[in-house]
Coordinates of all heavy atoms in Angstrom, one line a residue:
L1 N 0.8 -1.2 0.0 CA 0.0 0.0 0.0 C 0.9 1.2 0.0 O 0.5 2.3 -0.5 CB -0.9 0.0 1.2 CG -1.9 -1.2 1.4 CD1 -2.6 -1.1 2.7 CD2 -2.8 -1.2 0.2
E2 N 2.0 1.2 0.7 CA 2.9 2.4 0.8 C 4.3 1.7 1.0 O 4.5 0.8 1.7 CB 2.5 3.2 2.0 CG 3.3 4.5 2.1 CD 2.9 5.3 3.4 OE1 1.7 5.1 3.7 OE2 3.7 6.1 3.8
G3 N 5.3 2.4 0.5 CA 6.7 2.0 0.7 C 7.1 0.9 -0.4 O 6.5 0.8 -1.5
V4 N 8.1 0.1 0.0 CA 8.6 -0.9 -0.9 C 8.7 -2.3 -0.2 O 9.3 -2.3 0.9 CB 10.0 -0.5 -1.5 CG1 10.5 -1.5 -2.4 CG2 9.9 0.8 -2.2
L5 N 8.2 -3.3 -0.8 CA 8.4 -4.6 -0.3 C 9.3 -5.3 -1.2 O 9.1 -5.3 -2.5 CB 7.0 -5.4 -0.3 CG 7.0 -6.8 0.1 CD1 7.3 -7.0 1.6 CD2 5.8 -7.5 -0.2
H6 N 10.3 -6.1 -0.7 CA 11.2 -6.9 -1.5 C 10.9 -8.4 -1.2 O 10.7 -8.8 -0.1 CB 12.6 -6.6 -1.0 CG 13.0 -5.1 -1.2 ND1 13.3 -4.6 -2.5 CD2 13.2 -4.2 -0.3 CE1 13.6 -3.3 -2.3 NE2 13.6 -3.1 -1.0
V7 N 11.0 -9.1 -2.4 CA 10.7 -10.5 -2.3 C 11.8 -11.3 -3.1 O 12.2 -10.9 -4.2 CB 9.3 -11.0 -2.9 CG1 9.2 -12.5 -3.0 CG2 8.2 -10.3 -2.1
E8 N 12.4 -12.2 -2.4 CA 13.4 -13.1 -3.0 C 12.9 -14.5 -3.1 O 12.4 -15.1 -2.1 CB 14.8 -13.0 -2.2 CG 15.4 -11.7 -2.2 CD 16.5 -11.6 -1.3 OE1 17.3 -12.6 -1.3 OE2 16.8 -10.5 -0.7
Q9 N 13.0 -15.2 -4.2 CA 12.5 -16.5 -4.5 C 13.0 -17.0 -5.8 O 13.0 -16.3 -6.7 CB 11.1 -16.6 -4.3 CG 10.5 -18.2 -4.4 CD 9.1 -18.2 -4.3 OE1 8.3 -17.4 -4.8 NE2 8.6 -19.2 -3.5
S10 N 13.4 -18.3 -5.8 CA 13.8 -19.0 -7.1 C 14.8 -18.2 -7.9 O 14.8 -18.1 -9.1 CB 12.5 -19.2 -7.9 OG 11.6 -19.9 -7.3
G11 N 15.8 -17.6 -7.2 CA 16.9 -16.8 -7.9 C 16.4 -15.4 -8.4 O 17.2 -14.7 -9.0
S12 N 15.2 -15.1 -8.1 CA 14.7 -13.7 -8.4 C 14.6 -12.9 -7.3 O 14.2 -13.3 -6.2 CB 13.3 -13.8 -9.1 OG 13.3 -14.6 -10.3
K13 N 14.7 -11.5 -7.5 CA 14.5 -10.6 -6.5 C 13.6 -9.5 -7.1 O 13.9 -8.8 -8.0 CB 15.8 -9.9 -6.0 CG 15.5 -8.9 -4.9 CD 16.8 -8.3 -4.3 CE 16.4 -7.3 -3.2 NZ 17.6 -6.6 -2.6
L14 N 12.4 -9.4 -6.6 CA 11.3 -8.4 -7.0 C 11.2 -7.4 -6.0 O 11.2 -7.6 -4.8 CB 10.1 -9.1 -7.3 CG 10.1 -10.2 -8.5 CD1 8.7 -10.8 -8.6 CD2 10.6 -9.6 -9.7
S15 N 10.8 -6.1 -6.4 CA 10.4 -5.1 -5.4 C 9.0 -4.7 -5.9 O 8.8 -4.4 -7.1 CB 11.4 -4.0 -5.5 OG 12.7 -4.4 -5.1
A16 N 8.1 -4.4 -4.9 CA 6.8 -4.0 -5.1 C 6.6 -2.7 -4.4 O 6.7 -2.6 -3.2 CB 5.7 -5.0 -4.7
G17 N 6.3 -1.6 -5.2 CA 5.9 -0.4 -4.7 C 4.5 -0.2 -4.4 O 3.8 -1.2 -4.6
A18 N 4.1 1.0 -4.0 CA 2.6 1.2 -3.7 C 1.7 0.8 -4.9 O 2.0 1.1 -6.0 CB 2.5 2.6 -3.4
G19 N 0.7 0.0 -4.6 CA -0.2 -0.4 -5.6 C 0.2 -1.7 -6.3 O -0.5 -2.2 -7.2
E20 N 1.4 -2.3 -6.0 CA 1.9 -3.5 -6.7 C 1.8 -4.6 -5.7 O 1.9 -4.4 -4.5 CB 3.3 -3.2 -7.2 CG 3.4 -2.2 -8.2 CD 4.9 -2.1 -8.7 OE1 5.8 -2.0 -7.8 OE2 5.1 -1.9 -10.0
G21 N 1.7 -5.8 -6.2 CA 1.7 -6.9 -5.4 C 2.6 -8.0 -6.0 O 3.1 -7.9 -7.1
I22 N 2.8 -9.1 -5.1 CA 3.7 -10.2 -5.6 C 2.9 -11.4 -5.0 O 2.5 -11.5 -3.9 CB 5.0 -10.1 -4.9 CG1 5.7 -8.8 -5.5 CG2 5.9 -11.3 -5.3 CD1 7.2 -8.6 -4.9
L23 N 2.8 -12.4 -5.9 CA 2.3 -13.7 -5.6 C 3.5 -14.7 -5.5 O 4.4 -14.8 -6.4 CB 1.5 -14.3 -6.8 CG 0.9 -15.7 -6.7 CD1 0.0 -15.9 -5.4 CD2 0.1 -16.0 -8.0
V24 N 3.6 -15.4 -4.3 CA 4.7 -16.1 -3.9 C 4.2 -17.6 -3.8 O 3.1 -17.9 -3.2 CB 5.2 -15.7 -2.6 CG1 6.4 -16.6 -2.1 CG2 5.8 -14.3 -2.7
D25 N 4.9 -18.6 -4.3 CA 4.7 -20.0 -4.0 C 5.6 -20.3 -2.8 O 6.8 -20.5 -2.9 CB 5.2 -20.8 -5.2 CG 5.0 -22.4 -4.9 OD1 4.6 -22.7 -3.9 OD2 5.2 -23.1 -5.9
A26 N 4.9 -20.4 -1.7 CA 5.6 -20.6 -0.4 C 6.1 -22.1 -0.2 O 6.7 -22.4 0.8 CB 4.7 -20.1 0.8
H27 N 5.8 -22.9 -1.1 CA 6.2 -24.3 -1.1 C 7.8 -24.4 -1.2 O 8.4 -25.3 -1.0 CB 5.5 -25.2 -2.0 CG 4.1 -25.3 -1.8 ND1 3.1 -24.4 -2.4 CD2 3.3 -26.0 -1.0 CE1 1.9 -24.7 -2.0 NE2 2.0 -25.7 -1.1

């Protein structure tokens, strides 16, 4: 909603800013 969220998985690093989302396979 605000700020930046970082996600690392499967050799990728994504950053989601306000209004963006990330779908993660937590398996």
Side-chain angles (χ1 to χ4, degrees):
L1 301 176
E2 182 179 336
V4 178
L5 173 74
H6 300 286
V7 174
E8 297 175 33
Q9 185 178 40
S10 305
S12 295
K13 182 177 179 181
L14 299 177
S15 297
E20 295 179 317
I22 298 177
L23 174 60
V24 175
D25 179 355
H27 298 92

